[in-house]
Amino acid sequence: MLQASVYELFAWTCFCMDIRITVLALLLLLGGMSSLSSPQAPLLEKVFRYMDLHQDEFVQRLREWVAIESDSVQPVPRLRQELFRMMALAAEELRGLGASVSLVGSGSQQLPDGQTLPIPPIILAELGDEPEKPTVCFYGHLDVQPAAQANGWLTDPYTLTEVDGKLYGRGATDNKGPVLAWMNAVGTFRALEEDLPVNIKFILEGMEEAGSVALKELVAREKDGFFSSVDCIVISDNLWVSQRRPALIYGTRGNSYFMVEVRCRDQDFHSGTFGGILHEPMADLVALLGSLTDSSGRILIPGIYDHVAPVTEEERDMYSAIELDLEEYRNSSQVKTFLFDTKEEILMHLWRYPSLSIHGIEGAFDEPGTKTVIPGRVTGKFSIRLVPHMNLSVVEKQVKQHLQYIFAQRNSSNQMAVSMVLGLHPWIANIKDPQYLAAERAIKTVFGTEPDMIRDGSTIPIAKTFQDIIQKSVVMLPLGAVDDGEHSQNEKINRRNYIEGSKLVAAFFLEMVQLQEVAGTSP
């Protein structure tokens, strides 16, 4: 009776959907595809055992990588040399795993002050070229944000320090630890003299924190070359929304960054001599910036919400299922009160609604002490995080029209100029793609729980680049916990996340193989 109903469902669904995906979905629903079939379970057990026994070696390798001050943000020759050293070390590591490695030169970077600095090479590496196997491409970056112990670190940021199972160091979670987790997985199969379940490709860059200079051009050039055989691209450059429960990420916000300048003259004024007789640029700018949002965080720019994708019932259910302890989240964030009271409202305003943030004012007096100066020219900096269906050019037009209207109301004799200096699109994936199913099942195998299906409020431009240019599925498989502190002081990755993350990558390889085998058996 059960078999008959299953076959009826199978026939009807095949009529409506792609047959291969249908077979996979039905087998998942019926439990006919256990999490790793019996021939693979012993292999995975052996892989996990090896990783447990060699975890100190994995940590030591991370210690060596963290020690390299691969800061791409500060345009200093010494740090560029460190970046080149980091890329060379990673290339050497990949060659040791048996990969064929190319270091693709990216030319030089012209800085605003006229200085020219070399751009570190991008690594393209390949292991395996067997047509019957799926081909997984991993993207990662090896550069880091600036860090100094004097800026609030409890330890030297470039000396990996373990405290209570937490591995502190710049780049530990963003992104050296996750990159090494992928290499640990490959290296474990090699050490056990086991055949690598998938063909794997690595694309590693050293300029992500500085805008991924030259990367988009390389991806476009290699669309029909390096990327031609790729089945999916995996990025592990994000965090869970929990300290304990793993996550899969299926969307990120875009970003439009604006500068608004108000100018009276290029020289500053003495407030005793000129105060009270002119339109002060700072007063104009404060009024402009103050007009962008209200006290509840809602953006006041007319029309800005018109093209935001509507919330579906399925999406609401997904937000309800996400594990988030609001009290723990507040404590770990060191924020007394958020703008919203419920988990669902907070997550939606983090991920699927636009937000506007004011970042700073250039040209203003910001040093300690008292200085009675009226700045002659000031520039405000703010950005809007974009969500699906929002259009960059429309947003740019809306922002400029709003600021021009507000400025006109002040009847100021100053000059105002607005420019959008950065425009990055949002990205969203289809969570029904087979690669997401493989990642979900691998998480359940390693961590014993279903993952949170989440978005990320930040912007990862390379995901949209891969999706648009290569037109292959992009999967975000984060390994770090919510409290890892990427970009901030005392960045860390938990030893558990690092080691179990290495296991997760290995399990993902095997799940990808199973997906291909099941799809291949369909009529």
Side-chain angles (χ1 to χ4, degrees):
M1 187 72 174
L2 175 62
Q3 282 186 330
S5 63
V6 169
Y7 287 129
E8 288 171 5
L9 177 61
F10 173 79
W12 182 86
T13 311
C14 288
F15 181 79
C16 303
M17 300 172 58
D18 178 83
I19 193 169
R20 292 176 180 267
I21 301 299
T22 301
V23 171
L24 176 60
L26 284 170
L27 286 173
L28 284 170
L29 288 171
L30 296 170
M33 195 167 98
S34 62
S35 185
L36 298 176
S37 60
S38 54
Q40 293 172 316
L43 171 58
L44 200 60
E45 184 179 343
K46 186 162 64 168
V47 167
F48 288 179
R49 189 183 310 116
Y50 179 92
M51 289 181 174
D52 285 333
L53 291 172
H54 292 80
Q55 59 178 282
D56 287 343
E57 295 173 24
F58 295 162
V59 171
Q60 176 57 30
R61 192 172 295 125
L62 179 58
R63 181 172 288 108
E64 293 166 3
W65 280 31
V66 166
I68 298 177
E69 194 176 349
S70 51
D71 172 359
S72 64
V73 177
Q74 299 183 80
V76 179
R78 177 185 69 83
L79 295 177
R80 283 301 162 92
Q81 291 174 3
E82 287 288 274
L83 272 169
F84 275 79
R85 188 160 74 96
M86 184 70 251
M87 303 310 290
L89 179 59
E92 181 185 348
E93 186 82 29
L94 286 165
R95 291 190 186 100
L97 296 174
S100 61
V101 179
S102 298
L103 289 165
V104 182
S106 303
S108 58
Q109 180 184 20
Q110 187 76 32
L111 301 173
D113 63 358
Q115 183 183 190
T116 299
L117 287 175
I119 299 172
I122 296 170
I123 294 175
L124 300 179
E126 304 180 59
L127 290 100
D129 187 23
E130 301 178 47
E132 70 277 7
K133 291 182 178 180
T135 299
V136 176
C137 179
F138 172 75
Y139 161 83
H141 69 90
L142 301 173
D143 57 319
V144 299
Q145 285 280 326
Q149 190 165 355
N151 292 335
W153 282 73
L154 298 177
T155 59
D156 176 5
Y158 296 104
T159 300
L160 193 72
T161 305
E162 184 167 7
V163 180
D164 297 329
K166 297 175 172 62
L167 304 168
Y168 291 94
R170 179 56 94 212
T173 198
D174 182 22
N175 185 225
K176 294 179 180 181
V179 171
L180 275 171
W182 278 75
M183 293 188 184
N184 294 341
V186 173
T188 297
F189 281 100
R190 291 286 190 238
L192 294 172
E193 298 183 347
E194 294 285 351
D195 190 30
L196 198 61
V198 298
N199 303 315
I200 184 165
K201 298 190 176 191
F202 286 84
I203 174 169
L204 305 177
E205 66 159 320
M207 292 292 288
E208 192 270 349
E209 303 291 3
S212 293
V213 180
L215 183 63
K216 187 174 182 178
E217 293 79 3
L218 174 70
V219 172
R221 281 202 314 271
E222 292 292 337
K223 175 185 176 182
D224 300 317
F226 180 79
F227 296 106
S228 60
S229 61
V230 167
D231 292 304
C232 71
I233 296 159
V234 186
I235 299 172
S236 295
D237 191 19
N238 318 75
L239 303 177
W240 304 344
V241 74
S242 165
Q243 292 185 20
R244 295 172 297 275
R245 188 175 178 182
L248 276 173
I249 295 174
Y250 64 94
T252 61
R253 293 193 290 188
N255 195 10
S256 54
Y257 200 106
F258 291 88
M259 303 279 201
V260 52
E261 181 190 77
V262 180
R263 178 181 177 275
C264 179
R265 69 176 191 182
D266 290 334
Q267 261 183 291
D268 290 343
F269 298 91
H270 188 291
S271 63
T273 306
F274 289 94
I277 65 169
L278 52 77
H279 292 105
E280 298 191 7
M282 181 69 85
D284 285 342
L285 181 60
V286 168
L288 291 169
L289 297 178
S291 75
L292 296 173
T293 62
D294 64 18
S295 60
S296 67
R298 182 172 177 80
I299 303 173
L300 298 177
I301 299 167
I304 201 75
Y305 292 98
D306 288 354
H307 297 98
V308 174
V311 183
T312 64
E313 285 304 315
E314 181 183 10
E315 189 180 352
R316 289 186 191 278
D317 292 340
M318 290 174 65
Y319 282 105
S320 297
I322 291 170
E323 180 182 294
L324 179 67
D325 184 319
L326 288 184
E327 190 62 31
E328 178 185 276
Y329 188 56
R330 271 191 289 266
N331 291 337
S332 64
S333 305
Q334 299 181 43
V335 174
K336 184 178 180 181
T337 306
F338 290 117
L339 292 174
F340 306 96
D341 298 323
T342 69
K343 172 184 70 174
E344 289 78 10
E345 285 181 309
I346 286 175
L347 293 179
M348 285 189 183
H349 283 86
L350 274 175
W351 300 339
R352 63 104 52 236
Y353 289 128
S355 64
L356 188 150
S357 300
I358 297 171
H359 304 295
I361 296 177
E362 187 178 320
F365 172 60
D366 63 349
E367 300 295 330
T370 57
K371 183 179 180 182
T372 55
V373 65
I374 298 172
R377 178 172 63 179
V378 286
T379 302
K381 304 176 184 183
F382 66 94
S383 69
I384 300 174
R385 294 285 177 173
L386 310 177
V387 295
H389 295 190
M390 294 180 76
N391 181 283
L392 275 169
S393 60
V394 171
V395 169
E396 180 180 14
K397 183 178 179 181
Q398 290 169 334
V399 168
K400 288 182 176 179
Q401 287 180 341
H402 171 74
L403 291 177
Q404 286 162 359
Y405 172 79
I406 297 297
F407 189 70
Q409 302 306 301
R410 292 184 62 78
N411 293 315
S412 174
S413 60
N414 294 323
Q415 295 175 309
M416 184 197 72
V418 186
S419 60
M420 188 175 78
V421 297
L422 178 69
L424 301 170
H425 294 276
W427 164 81
I428 195 162
N430 181 4
I431 61 173
K432 293 183 173 63
D433 281 346
Q435 292 79 10
Y436 271 88
L437 295 174
E440 185 177 350
R441 292 168 59 77
I443 286 171
K444 193 168 183 180
T445 296
V446 174
F447 292 96
T449 183
E450 298 286 347
D452 284 326
M453 301 301 295
I454 68 173
R455 298 195 197 185
D456 191 321
S458 60
T459 304
I460 301 181
I462 190 60
K464 183 69 172 171
T465 297
F466 283 138
Q467 192 178 62
D468 289 348
I469 296 178
I470 304 173
Q471 298 183 349
K472 297 290 175 69
S473 174
V474 178
V475 181
M476 289 198 180
L477 184 62
L479 304 184
V482 68
D483 61 344
D484 277 358
E486 57 180 356
H487 287 205
S488 68
Q489 294 90 341
N490 304 310
E491 177 186 346
K492 59 87 178 170
I493 191 169
N494 299 330
R495 178 185 276 256
R496 170 180 179 260
N497 288 65
Y498 179 45
I499 302 304
E500 300 303 298
S502 301
K503 295 178 184 178
L504 176 57
V505 174
F508 176 72
F509 291 163
L510 291 172
E511 291 290 356
M512 284 293 295
V513 173
Q514 276 209 333
L515 281 170
Q516 179 165 293
E517 289 174 352
V518 170
T521 60
S522 63

